[in-house]
Amino acid sequence: MPSPVSAPNPPAVCLQRISRRFGEHQVLDELSLEIAPGEFVALLGASGSGKTTLLRALAGLDRIDGGELHAPAATATVFQEPRLMPWKRVRHNVALGVRRADAHQLALQALDEVGLSHRIDAYPATLSGGEAQRAALARGLVREPELFLLDEPFAALDALTRIRMHALLLELWRKHRPAVLLVTHDINEAILLADRVLVLVQGRIAEDVPVPWPRPRHQGEARFDTLRRHFLSLLGVPEADGAEHESADGADRRPHNTQET
Amino acid sequence: MRLALRYGRGGAAAGKTPPAGPPARLLNQLLLRGSSPLAILLIWELASRTGVLPAHILAAPSQIGSAFWNLLASGELLGHLLVSAGRSLAGVSIGVAGGITLALISGLSRAGEIAVDAPMQMLRTLPSLALVPLFILWLGVGEAMKISMIAFGTAFPIYLTLFSGIRGVEAKLVEAAKTLGLTRLELIRHVILPGALPTFFVGLRFSLGGSWLALVVVEQVNAVQGIGFLANDARDFARTDVIVVCLLIYSLLGLTVDVLVRALERWALAWRPSFLNNP
């Protein structure tokens, strides 16, 4: 856990001119980025802009072709799908790979923090979409990450559940203060949550916008709307007021879409 | 699934009968389901008694029943049954253990796959029962040959299904496990093997089915004990009643093992949605 920021703190994440190609396609193009300890950064980008590639590189799931990448060893990742092991009960999923004598106790504590203490013995197949994603958050949390990587974690949830999850994520972040990199293509989500919003266009960071407003933020505010329009134009979406809902994945895709508790 | 199907049919049949309380309805269903087999048995018995169906072709049901009783009472049947079950158990244990070992070797490493998979894929195309003559030459006509034949036939379904199960574990789960910092051993234990378990059970069913087939065949070869011997011996004396008893025993053995495997599957795969939704 990073201590509260004191002046010359080394960044939690430091990327220097990293590149990644897939065949002819330059997915990441000499991208540089720093994330301070405890900073909440959202990464916006259209499909194919390289945002998932960047996150996977940070998670250690993909190599990079060039440049330098420094990320903390204590990194946790939450994907768009919960990716829980279907054969393990929720608490065993959360404790999986935690190498501490009190792993089980920590798992229960983390599940309590995400509001799942009543589902600790459930199998993942019986969870609703929101519950499963809460369990995935708990599984990340229990590792006490210095860097929390979130790859469109709420994209597959219904709108109401997503609002609850936003609040939960902010609460967890405030309490544990990991650096967060939230990859999303939901502009509202980015502005609502992050200290800083990055816009990724063709493998480069096209814009780096701090959002210094206090939370909770509200979508009705004028500055919110201005910023949203700005991001829309950066992402190449022509202004069409009223009709836009920036999340491309609005529907809950999980089979057991029982009501969120 | 089979159970559900039966239940469905029974329910449809019960709909036609006048409404009654649950126990009476169950009785009605039983009578309805049992009426046709019962009629066949009656006709069969009648044909035997009137001489239309001579005993050297097929014994009467009553005769089969008394043969079964006599064999049971004398302890003869139990002795043969134990010998057959022992053979089968020995063969299946060796075959399943071998299949699992080979599948782990080739499923979990590239080098293992290169070494093991191609020969296994070639061997599996052999109809294993055609190997009896070769096994007799190598191992004689004793127990070693019989158990080896059963083991040989059992190993392949296990190998094939477990191998494909291991390779078929969802890549996204493996990736998630990597972000959790699991070691290779932990990955195998907590992710790959549990993920391969459902297909393993498919293989186990196939294996056990194959093992009965192998048992029947090898027990025809110079056996002096076992259900197959009993049937062969009965053939020499044209005792069709004893032959039918042996057939019934084989099918009962198969049924019992199937029930056991189902129970095991239900326990081991309790996490699957199909079991969770109708426990």
Side-chain angles (χ1 to χ4, degrees), chain A residues 154-195:
Chain A
F154 313 130
L157 302 177
D158 65 83
L160 293 177
T161 306
R162 199 178 309 146
I163 293 170
R164 286 200 192 93
M165 294 299 279
H166 287 162
L168 173 65
L169 178 59
L170 281 179
E171 187 192 318
L172 295 175
W173 170 68
R174 275 204 198 97
K175 198 162 155 198
H176 298 275
R177 280 287 159 173
V180 174
L181 181 66
L182 169 73
V183 165
T184 180
H185 48 213
D186 184 335
I187 292 177
N188 293 340
E189 182 170 281
I191 305 174
L192 277 173
L193 301 177
D195 293 324

Side-chain angles (χ1 to χ4, degrees), chain B residues 99-114 116-117 159 162-169 174 183-196:
Chain B
I100 290 177
T101 309
L102 290 169
L104 291 180
I105 291 172
S106 79
L108 296 177
S109 79
R110 283 287 157 206
E113 184 184 356
I114 291 167
V116 173
D117 193 54
Y159 171 81
L162 187 55
F163 175 71
S164 78
I166 288 172
R167 289 300 167 91
V169 171
V174 175
T183 63
R184 175 132 183 93
L185 265 180
E186 287 173 321
L187 182 74
I188 290 169
R189 186 175 151 219
H190 294 291
V191 182
I192 294 179
L193 292 186

Side-chain angles (χ1 to χ4, degrees), chain B residues 71-88:
Chain B
L71 284 167
L72 202 64
S74 67
E76 209 181 338
L77 188 61
L78 193 68
H80 291 298
L81 182 64
L82 286 178
V83 169
S84 285
R87 266 177 202 143
S88 188

Side-chain angles (χ1 to χ4, degrees), chain A residues 8 19-20 39 41 57 60 78 102 106-107 109 113 116 128 131 135 139 144 146-147 168 181 204 221 243 251 261:
Chain A
S19 298
R20 179 76 169 113
E39 189 182 21
V41 175
V78 174
D102 55 348
L106 289 173
Q109 209 177 311
E113 279 190 60
L116 268 189
S128 71
E131 286 174 333
R139 181 172 68 175
E144 300 182 345
E146 284 166 43
L147 174 63
L168 173 65
L181 181 66
R204 281 167 176 272
E221 293 172 53
T261 50

Side-chain angles (χ1 to χ4, degrees), chain A residues 56 83 86-88 99, chain B residues 172 175 181 186 190-191 271:
Chain A
R56 291 175 57 86
R83 300 199 189 183
W87 40 86
K88 287 190 180 293
R99 267 171 262 283
Chain B
K172 288 186 166 182
E175 218 172 69
E186 287 173 321
H190 294 291
V191 182
W271 50 270

Side-chain angles (χ1 to χ4, degrees), chain B residues 55 69 97 108 114 215 259:
Chain B
W69 178 247
L108 296 177
I114 291 167
L215 183 71
V259 167

